[in-house]
Amino acid sequence: MTTAPTATTAPRTAPAAPRFDTKIAVIVRDDLVDWQKLNVTAFLASGIAHASDDVMGKRYEDATGNDYLPLFREPVWCFTADAGSLARTHARALSRAVPTALYTANMFTTGNDDDNRAAVRAVATDDLDLVGLAVYGPRGIIDKITKGLKLHG
């Protein structure tokens, strides 16, 4: 039985979430249909999982002893952007040399990793038809890269 806080007992609160020195941000173009947004987000997150040795947490285990894969050790910030804002965000990320994953519109027409890489390689940076980006790096730098973007939802 839980008692209500009184003048002599403090209310129970969840422990404060740690503030990480780094930040993960996924930015998806706002004109995609829902399945595309989810697909792009999943692919971009898989790229960020390889950004550094520190980005992933530890494996999980339930009380029965089943083993589960590790997840990111920190929250992922999800943003939406129009094509122009996405291009600007891409330029900011490149200028700051942070680990960046990208997804282009022509990758929707391919069926495998080799063809995806070839599709990106065939297009100059300024001509990429970006539908999504993910970036990872120091919190302040990622905040500057994503400045002005709207959180998804």
Side-chain angles (χ1 to χ4, degrees):
M1 179 170 155
T2 305
T3 58
T6 65
T8 58
T9 63
R12 290 185 182 197
T13 59
R19 182 172 166 93
F20 294 94
D21 293 335
T22 56
K23 193 170 194 176
I24 300 168
V26 174
I27 307 98
V28 178
R29 204 166 73 194
D30 59 8
D31 62 348
L32 300 179
V33 295
D34 287 344
W35 77 263
Q36 290 174 318
K37 288 178 184 177
L38 293 170
N39 185 264
V40 169
T41 300
F43 272 100
L44 293 171
S46 73
I48 294 300
H50 298 279
S52 103
D53 291 338
D54 297 335
V55 75
M56 299 301 291
K58 296 178 182 175
R59 295 183 76 87
Y60 287 77
E61 182 179 319
D62 65 26
T64 307
N66 293 305
D67 187 50
Y68 302 95
L69 296 170
L71 303 175
F72 291 131
R73 69 181 184 94
E74 61 190 89
V76 178
W77 297 84
C78 296
F79 298 91
T80 59
D82 60 27
S85 297
L86 196 57
R88 182 182 67 241
T89 303
H90 182 233
R92 288 175 179 172
L94 292 178
S95 73
R96 288 167 174 85
V98 298
T100 303
L102 83 162
Y103 202 101
T104 62
N106 56 356
M107 291 168 68
F108 286 126
T109 65
T110 65
N112 62 72
D113 190 46
D114 290 336
D115 290 342
N116 284 345
R117 281 195 310 280
V120 173
R121 190 180 312 111
V123 181
T125 302
D126 291 340
D127 297 325
L128 291 169
D129 186 6
L130 297 168
V131 296
L133 292 172
V135 291
Y136 173 73
R139 172 177 290 282
I141 291 174
I142 300 304
D143 287 344
K144 288 177 183 175
I145 291 169
T146 59
K147 183 176 177 143
L149 298 181
K150 178 183 168 193
L151 282 171
H152 191 278

